[in-house]
Amino acid sequence: MLSFIRGLFDRKPGKEQVAKLLLQELQKLLPGEQLVLDLDKFLIRRADGGVIYLNNLYTDYCQAQPAQRREQITHFALAVASTGGDKPATLDEVQLRLLPILRRLGGVDLARIERGDLSIKLEDTMVWAPFSPTLGAAVAIDSDHAIAQVAPGDLERWGIGFEQAFEIATDNLRHKAAPTFFEFSPGLYVSNYLDFYDASRIFLPELAWQLPLNGDPIAMVPNRTSLLVCGASDVAALEQMITTARRVLREQSRPLSADMFRLHDKTWSPWTPPAQAGALLATLQREEKAVDYNDQQEALIKAHEQAGIDVFVAKHNLLQRDIDGSLVSFAVLPKGLDTWLPEADLVFLIEAEGATPIIVRWADLMQHAGHLLERLPLSVPRWKVLGYPEGACLQQLRYLATTVETVQLQ
C-alpha cells in the first residue's frame, strides 16, 4: 500500500501541466505581454517573435524532488524575464560579464527552422566558430538569472571582432572559479563547478593537463554542466567515460555532444579510441546523430505543413546488424518525390513501390550522383534531391550496390 501511495505522488508530471505552470509564472513577471503556448511544439511564443523552448525545463522539473519543482519553474521564469532587454551599449559595460559557451548545432538548426527562413545564413544570426562537427563555440553575456548569446550587432556596437570577444570571455572564465574536479571512477574525472559553464572549461586546456592522467588528456562534453576527462591510455576509464556520457545525454537537460576530443599541447581535436572503446563511442555517436536528425525531420515537416510545401523529408533510420551488432544508418530515396535527404551510411534507392531497393554507400552516391544533390543551409547535413539517378549514373550505382551486413562502416 505504501508503494502504491508513493507512486501516486512520484508519477512523472505531464508536459501540459509543466508548461501551464511556467505560463502562469511568466504572466506574473511579464504583465501585459502576449504569450502563446504551443503544446504541439512544446514552446511558448513571445510577442516580439521570440520563442521559449520548454524541453530543458521539463527535464529539470521531472528530475527535481517534488518539493523543489516549484523552484525550477521560478528560476526558469526569471531567466526568461531577464532576457530580451537592451544589451550593454559599450564594451566597458559588458566586458567582465562575457563568457564562452558551446552550442549544439542541431539545436541551432531547430531554432532557425522555427523562425521559418533558412535563407538567412547562420553567421548572420549568431557569432560563432566551429569547434567540432556537432558543436560551435560562441560568446555569451552572463547575468544572475540568464545567459544571452552575443549577436553580430553586439560586436559591431562594441567595436570588436569575435576573436577578441572570445579571448576576453575565456580569460573571464579562467578567473571565475578554482579548478573543481572529482574522480568519478578510477582515472575518470568529472567537473563540479555548478555554474552551467562546466563544458566551457574545455576552452581552458591547462585544467586537463593538471589532472593525474594516464596518457594525453581526453575529454567529452555531454551537456552544459559536464566536462569529463581521462587519459588516452586508460582503457577502463575511456569506456566508463562513454557510459557516463550516454547517461548524461539521455537523462539530463541541455545536451551537447557525443564527440570525444584529444588534447595536443593547447588544441583539442576530435578523436576515436581503438578497440572496444571505439566501438562504444561509434554507437553513441550514431545514436546522437539519429536524435538530431529525428528532431530536424519533425521540425521541417511541421514547418512545411504550415507553409503548404509538399516535400518528402526523409527519415534518418538506424538498424542493428546481425553480423557484429553494430548500428548502421540509412535513408530512403524514392523515385518521383521531391525529397530532402539526410546523410547516412547507406541510401536505399526505391524505383517503384514494392521494388527491391538498390542499396548504396553515401560516398558512392555523392561520387556518382552528387550533381543531383544540393546542400541545404542546415548544420546537421541534409540535401535537396534535384532528380533521381538515371541512365549510366544509375547503372554505376547498381554495380556498386552493397548490403547492410557486408558494407564496411567508416
Side-chain angles (χ1 to χ4, degrees):
M1 177 60 71
L2 285 176
S3 62
F4 171 74
I5 295 173
R6 189 180 299 113
L8 290 176
F9 290 98
D10 291 345
R11 285 184 299 181
K12 190 174 183 178
K15 285 190 170 183
E16 182 175 359
Q17 172 193 349
V18 176
K20 288 184 175 179
L21 286 172
L22 175 64
L23 188 59
Q24 292 171 4
E25 192 69 21
L26 288 174
Q27 288 168 339
K28 296 176 186 175
L29 295 172
L30 302 168
E33 179 173 343
Q34 183 180 5
L35 300 166
V36 179
L37 174 61
D38 185 337
L39 283 174
D40 184 42
K41 294 185 177 181
F42 202 46
L43 54 80
I44 294 174
R45 301 182 191 280
R46 303 188 69 170
D48 63 359
V51 175
I52 305 166
Y53 296 97
L54 305 180
N55 284 314
N56 285 330
L57 168 65
Y58 183 68
T59 300
D60 291 340
Y61 187 92
C62 292
Q63 290 186 342
Q65 294 296 321
Q68 299 173 334
R69 286 175 174 171
R70 169 55 69 173
E71 186 178 345
Q72 294 291 333
I73 297 289
T74 301
H75 285 175
F76 193 90
L78 285 170
V80 171
S82 299
T83 62
D86 293 335
K87 291 183 179 178
T90 67
L91 181 60
D92 288 342
E93 294 178 68
V94 76
Q95 183 162 345
L96 295 178
R97 294 166 53 197
L98 295 181
L99 290 170
I101 58 172
L102 284 167
R103 292 292 307 273
R104 181 172 176 137
L105 296 178
V108 176
D109 274 351
L110 299 183
R112 295 174 66 228
I113 293 169
E114 176 61 32
R115 285 195 293 268
D117 189 357
L118 292 179
S119 65
I120 300 176
K121 296 180 180 179
L122 180 58
E123 54 266 29
D124 292 334
T125 61
M126 62 180 278
V127 183
W128 71 293
F131 185 73
S132 79
T134 65
L135 294 171
V139 178
I141 303 172
D142 186 55
S143 66
D144 290 340
H145 299 294
I147 298 171
Q149 186 169 327
V150 170
D154 298 323
L155 295 186
E156 292 177 11
R157 192 167 59 253
W158 302 334
I160 60 173
F162 174 77
E163 290 185 1
Q164 184 179 351
F166 193 80
E167 183 178 348
I168 293 170
T170 304
D171 193 54
N172 287 342
L173 183 63
R174 182 173 288 110
H175 295 94
K176 191 174 189 294
T180 306
F181 287 84
F182 68 95
E183 193 170 20
F184 179 79
S185 63
L188 174 61
Y189 295 85
V190 178
S191 63
N192 190 35
Y193 288 89
L194 304 176
D195 62 2
F196 288 100
Y197 289 97
D198 291 64
S200 298
R201 263 85 180 189
I202 199 169
F203 299 126
L204 306 177
E206 66 270 20
L207 296 179
W209 286 119
Q210 293 169 9
L211 296 171
L213 307 176
N214 182 7
D216 287 345
I218 305 299
M220 294 184 74
V221 284
N223 77 345
R224 273 175 45 189
T225 60
S226 302
L227 172 58
L228 315 180
V229 184
C230 73
S233 301
D234 194 331
V235 175
L238 284 167
E239 294 183 5
Q240 183 61 51
M241 173 186 278
I242 298 164
T243 299
T244 304
R246 177 191 299 278
R247 187 179 308 119
V248 172
L249 285 162
R250 296 290 175 271
E251 298 176 5
Q252 297 186 20
S253 62
R254 299 164 182 83
L256 282 177
S257 176
D259 293 342
M260 180 177 281
F261 304 93
R262 185 169 185 160
L263 185 59
H264 298 279
D265 192 16
K266 296 182 179 180
T267 303
W268 293 101
S269 301
W271 182 69
T272 299
Q276 178 64 17
L280 290 172
L281 182 65
T283 296
L284 178 59
Q285 290 177 341
R286 278 186 162 79
E287 291 171 349
E288 281 303 293
K289 181 179 287 188
V291 168
D292 276 342
Y293 270 122
N294 181 66
D295 291 344
Q296 185 194 74
Q297 181 199 27
E298 289 183 1
L300 285 170
I301 289 173
K302 290 175 182 177
H304 288 167
E305 288 176 348
Q306 291 176 350
I309 299 173
D310 186 15
V311 172
F312 173 57
V313 183
K315 183 177 178 61
H316 179 96
N317 304 274
L318 285 181
L319 55 81
Q320 189 171 34
R321 300 204 296 192
D322 294 330
I323 189 172
D324 57 8
S326 62
L327 293 179
V328 179
S329 62
F330 73 93
V332 173
L333 174 54
K335 185 176 183 178
L337 289 181
D338 288 336
T339 301
W340 284 15
L341 188 70
E343 290 188 7
D345 296 316
L346 301 172
V347 177
F348 287 31
L349 301 174
I350 310 292
E351 294 197 70
E353 186 174 351
T356 301
I358 303 169
I359 304 175
V360 298
R361 297 187 312 127
W362 181 265
D364 291 332
L365 181 71
M366 287 299 295
Q367 181 177 351
H368 298 284
H371 61 287
L372 299 174
L373 302 176
E374 179 183 292
R375 174 71 183 264
L376 292 161
L378 293 163
S379 299
V380 180
R382 190 174 286 269
W383 301 76
K384 179 180 180 180
V385 180
L386 305 177
Y388 191 84
E390 302 281 359
C393 175
L394 183 59
Q395 286 300 112
Q396 183 65 29
L397 292 175
R398 286 184 185 277
Y399 175 76
L400 295 170
T402 184
T403 68
V404 171
E405 296 296 330
T406 60
V407 66
Q408 294 293 315
L409 299 176
Q410 297 295 320

